[in-house]
Amino acid sequence: MVSDSSLNHRLTLLFLVLVCLVFCRNLTSIGAAPICTNAQTGCQALSLANLFDRVIQHSARMHGISNDLHSEFEQYFLPSKNQIGRVSRNCHTSTILTPNGKENAQRMAREELTEVILKLLMAWRDPLWRFHQGMAHNHDFNNFSSNKALEMSDMVHELRKGVEKVADKMQMLGIISNSVSSQVSPEALLPSDSAEWHLMRDYDLLYCFRRDSNKVQNYLKILKCRIVPEHGC
Amino acid sequence: VRTSGWDSLEPHFTECISRDQETFRCWWSPGSFHNLSSPGALKVFYLRKVSPVSEWKECPEYIHSKRECFFDVNYTSVWVPYCIQLRGQNNITFDDACFTVENIVRPDPPVSLNWTLLNISPSGLSYDVMVNWEPPPTADVEAGWMRIVYEIQYRERNSTYWEALEVQPHTQKTIYGLHIGKEYEVHIRSRMQAFSKFGEFSDPIFIHVTELYSEETTFPLTFILVFGTLGILILLMLILIFQQQRFMMILLPPVPAPKIKGIDAELLKKGKLDELNLILSGGIGGLHTYAPDFYPDEPWVEFIEVDPEDSAAGEKEDHQGSDTQRLLGLPPPVSLNHHLNIGCSSTISFPDDDSGRASCYGPDVPNQDTLILMAALLPGQAEEEEATLDEVERAPSPEGGESHFVQSQTAGSHTWVNTDFYAQVSNVMPSGGVVLSPGQQLRIQESTLSAEKEMQRKGKEIGACEETGEKKQKGLQFQLLVVDPEGGSYTTESTARQISAAPNSPTPSEGYQTIPPQPADAKPAATAEDNQSPYILPDSPQAPFFAPVGDYTVVQEVDSQHSLLLNPPPNLSPHPCMPQQPLKALPATPVAYVTPDLLGNLSP
């Protein structure tokens, strides 16, 4: 009968609507939306302060690991009595101009500061990878150190991506201009087969990286407290 | 720091510290070279590798009073290696050191420490405190230039051991578990995150909480509540225990069971229909008088009065009355019931002939002659042993009835009544006549010899057991009454007299009834012949004493002489020598039929 079929249709429709409501509510519940990576729709966007907090935490952790590794190496490699010799070593990132003081850093433009951070992170990607490879093959180091080196290498990579996202967000918000480029100046990059690499001992590498990770952490904090000084400044 | 020997100490740098990562200071000591302690004797030179070409410069600012070299903001570069040298006269270098500024940072301690009381434990013995402070003013935390973490330490006033809490970057911290009445000392120090050098401790603050908040009002209240509830519970329990009976009455009122006065509820159970029938049919009138009070503690029990006058009452009666009536066309023999108060103990131990006989007691029969016979036939009451026993004893019969009975038995002719195999004696007339229910056949075979032997045996037993003095010996006599059908189902008077004369004959242990063999002087040959014929001759006027038998009696055994040992319905007195026990009533033949479980017991 017609009435029965229509009733059936209505019932199924009602049932579907109910199911859809239940389901859709689950999908749109709080916290289920993914974080926007690209300009997607339907995703939950993180605030700039949140992004800054994340990258700052990341950089702090990276610096902590580099500190641990450096002090570990210091046990094995007694610092040369000749401190001056230690001073004369040259980190490969010395060519990158970085502010050496608070005022210098504060006086620097946001775009420049962001660029400096990105350059630093970019410059350390390959050396750390090689360092980890060298440690993995060298049986003098225990697994603990080797794992830390690997972690350090990964963190540099992730931190760079994170800072790029922050830069994109800032550019999107109009805080900085679009002149930030993640292109690293060629002089900061050493050729992979450079002889200087092999001269550079692991201890020096760790020393240099420890310093640079501290720089990155500092610059990020300055940037954050200048742009979004809400919490933790 | 270079040391040339233990005894002499060269001038050396003691320490270089930066508080804010924007300036730093270095201190030196002349050591044991006291001649160099004058200001200007020693000089500090530094080298800052900011440019490919670097040169040694002298300390930008001396503070000779402290032997300190101060580098202000202009001369301080972070992340730049520094080297300093302590030189004396003639460029003699006593000491040198290299560092970077971020590695020598020791932040100042926090300022503005204060504490607030968070809460006090319910026991009033410990409390929690929130301590908060301000970051050191020299450290530029707002710009994010310095990221400081703090470490709180506290101790009791008189203790020397400091309790250290975990470092954390926030400017407040909760201290748990401080004791009331004790004074505590708290100080804080700070360091750079991811570095290890702590600054100095702050000035201590003191925490002291006295017992101002002791004995919270809620504390005794909870006690009162708890104890009050417990007390009430105990009281309820006591009331329940001591007034259990009343509570049981209220909560579980007794189910009114059918309570017929004079009848114990036990009879209503399975298997005791015979006794019940007896009561209901025969002895209703006497039940009221002689029935013991079964429910002494239930005064509210209302009994079902089975009115014997009421023809509608007593289903069992109708059964019997109707039969007789049908047979004879007589009115229901109601009046008989008055005179028949039959209470027989119910026990029949079924296969065992000699044990457990119930005894049927004499009712309050005004006519002493017509005694107990009906009781023998009809089911009796199990529990009315005591009362009815007395009645039995009271029911007189001449003591010499035994021999009399025997003689009468032996003297009696072999009278056979042409009745059915089972005949139920419905009623006993006051005159002694017996009313048999029609339609049933009684098959009787007697054996004289066996009966005599039986009597003698019983006599011996009785003699032995009389010494025990059990009352049960005076059991009711079972007798089979053979009714002359021609006589209209009434026995003759003489017969009845004979029957009545033998109630006290001591055959209490008869578990069965032997149709006594016909007296020898009668026709033994006829007996023998008659034994073969299963029928009772109807025309014997002198009906011997036959124990009354119910409508159906169980044929216990067939003798060698073809005498049937009938199992009377549950009117069996227990064995005189056996202790008086209310034996289980056989599910004997109820009034009108043989129950199937008894069929198997019938032995050929």
Side-chain angles (χ1 to χ4, degrees), chain B residues 22-24 60-61 70-77:
Chain B
E22 296 174 59
T23 64
F24 68 98
E61 189 175 338
F70 174 68
F71 295 81
D72 63 1
V73 182
N74 301 325
Y75 295 97
T76 306
S77 302

Side-chain angles (χ1 to χ4, degrees), chain B residues 458-477:
Chain B
K458 296 303 176 192
K460 286 179 193 165
E461 286 175 351
I462 290 158
C465 294
E466 267 178 351
E467 299 162 0
T468 65
E470 289 197 0
K471 291 183 181 177
K472 278 294 182 177
Q473 300 177 8
K474 315 240 175 181
L476 195 59
Q477 185 55 48

Side-chain angles (χ1 to χ4, degrees), chain A residues 63 67 81 83-84 87-88 99-103 106 207 210-211 214-215 217-219 221-222 225 233, chain B residues 21-22 49 56 73 77-81 83 98 100 102-103 140-145 147 193-195:
Chain A
H63 177 65
N67 203 16
K81 193 62 178 145
Q83 306 262 1
I84 298 178
V87 171
S88 64
N100 289 331
K102 183 180 82 174
E103 289 174 7
Q106 281 177 334
Y207 175 84
R210 180 164 158 258
R211 189 192 68 179
N214 196 14
K215 274 188 190 175
Q217 188 185 9
N218 240 324
Y219 297 153
K221 191 81 178 186
I222 288 172
C225 287
C233 275
Chain B
Q21 209 173 359
E22 296 174 59
K49 294 217 54 165
W56 289 92
V73 182
S77 302
V78 193
W79 303 297
V80 169
C83 285
C98 290
T100 54
E102 71 271 13
N103 287 327
D140 192 355
V141 184
E142 292 89 14
W145 178 241
R147 298 146 312 282
Q193 197 176 28
F195 290 95

Side-chain angles (χ1 to χ4, degrees), chain B residues 123-246:
Chain B
S123 61
L125 296 175
S126 61
Y127 58 96
D128 302 334
V129 153
M130 169 82 83
V131 182
N132 43 30
W133 57 90
E134 296 282 323
T138 53
D140 192 355
V141 184
E142 292 89 14
W145 178 241
M146 290 177 71
R147 298 146 312 282
I148 298 179
V149 291
Y150 305 97
E151 184 192 57
I152 287 188
Q153 293 182 0
Y154 69 96
R155 68 168 182 187
E156 288 181 37
R157 194 68 186 275
N158 300 327
S159 168
T160 57
Y161 171 72
W162 287 93
E163 189 83 33
L165 299 179
E166 200 176 344
V167 295
Q168 42 95 40
H170 309 288
T171 57
Q172 63 185 21
K173 181 79 177 153
T174 308
I175 303 179
Y176 300 101
L178 297 179
H179 299 290
I180 285 196
K182 293 184 182 176
E183 196 171 356
Y184 290 93
E185 191 179 350
V186 176
H187 63 196
I188 309 173
R189 62 179 181 174
S190 53
R191 69 168 166 87
M192 286 290 282
Q193 197 176 28
F195 290 95
S196 56
K197 295 188 177 174
F198 277 101
E200 290 188 353
F201 278 106
S202 63
D203 293 334
I205 57 168
F206 297 95
I207 300 176
H208 186 57
V209 176
T210 55
E211 298 186 10
L212 292 174
Y213 302 101
S214 63
E215 300 299 323
E216 288 258 356
T217 54
T218 60
F219 187 60
L221 196 64
T222 52
F223 269 133
I224 288 171
L225 278 174
V226 166
F227 280 120
T229 317
L230 276 174
I232 289 170
L233 278 174
I234 292 171
L235 204 65
L236 281 174
M237 291 290 296
L238 285 173
I239 289 173
L240 266 175
I241 290 168
F242 286 118
Q243 301 293 330
Q244 204 175 12
Q245 297 293 333
R246 280 189 212 169

Side-chain angles (χ1 to χ4, degrees), chain A residues 173-185:
Chain A
L173 290 175
I175 298 173
I176 59 178
S177 63
N178 294 344
S179 62
V180 176
S181 64
S182 58
Q183 296 295 327
V184 184
S185 56

Side-chain angles (χ1 to χ4, degrees), chain B residues 366-603:
Chain B
N367 190 353
Q368 301 298 339
D369 293 336
T370 64
L371 253 191
I372 309 154
L373 311 173
M374 287 322 302
L377 286 175
L378 298 175
Q381 269 179 323
E383 287 76 4
E384 300 207 337
E385 298 168 343
E386 300 301 323
T388 53
L389 200 59
D390 297 336
E391 297 309 310
V392 171
E393 293 182 324
R394 267 184 261 145
S397 291
E399 289 298 325
E402 174 183 5
S403 56
H404 183 73
F405 172 67
V406 172
Q407 284 176 4
S408 65
Q409 275 190 334
T410 52
S413 62
H414 191 101
T415 309
W416 290 101
V417 181
N418 191 12
T419 60
D420 293 336
F421 190 69
Y422 298 103
Q424 177 191 11
V425 179
S426 303
N427 289 309
V428 171
M429 303 292 293
S431 58
V434 172
V435 179
L436 281 183
S437 299
Q440 294 95 6
Q441 294 186 345
L442 181 62
R443 193 168 296 200
I444 303 172
Q445 293 179 350
E446 298 95 24
S447 161
T448 310
L449 215 55
S450 62
E452 277 184 90
K453 284 183 186 171
E454 196 62 36
M455 291 303 158
Q456 289 164 6
R457 185 168 64 84
K458 296 303 176 192
K460 286 179 193 165
E461 286 175 351
I462 290 158
C465 294
E466 267 178 351
E467 299 162 0
T468 65
E470 289 197 0
K471 291 183 181 177
K472 278 294 182 177
Q473 300 177 8
K474 315 240 175 181
L476 195 59
Q477 185 55 48
F478 304 132
Q479 294 169 352
L480 177 67
L481 285 179
V482 179
V483 177
D484 188 358
E486 290 185 358
S489 74
Y490 292 96
T491 56
T492 58
E493 235 179 1
S494 60
T495 310
R497 215 177 297 119
Q498 287 169 349
I499 290 169
S500 63
N504 281 346
S505 54
T507 61
S509 60
E510 262 188 350
Y512 56 91
Q513 303 176 18
T514 307
I515 311 300
Q518 294 309 311
D521 60 356
K523 308 153 193 175
T527 305
E529 290 173 4
D530 289 336
N531 285 341
Q532 291 158 8
S533 84
Y535 296 99
I536 302 172
L537 299 178
D539 50 358
S540 48
Q542 294 290 334
F545 288 98
F546 293 103
V549 78
D551 210 1
Y552 300 96
T553 51
V554 180
V555 178
Q556 179 72 9
E557 208 178 317
V558 173
D559 225 4
S560 55
Q561 281 120 6
H562 301 278
S563 57
L564 276 181
L565 308 180
L566 291 179
N567 212 358
N571 296 333
L572 307 175
S573 61
H575 197 281
C577 297
M578 286 176 57
Q580 202 171 4
Q581 294 169 3
L583 294 175
K584 212 175 184 185
L586 245 193
T589 58
V591 180
Y593 48 89
V594 179
T595 55
D597 47 353
L598 290 176
L599 276 176
N601 294 328
L602 296 177
S603 53

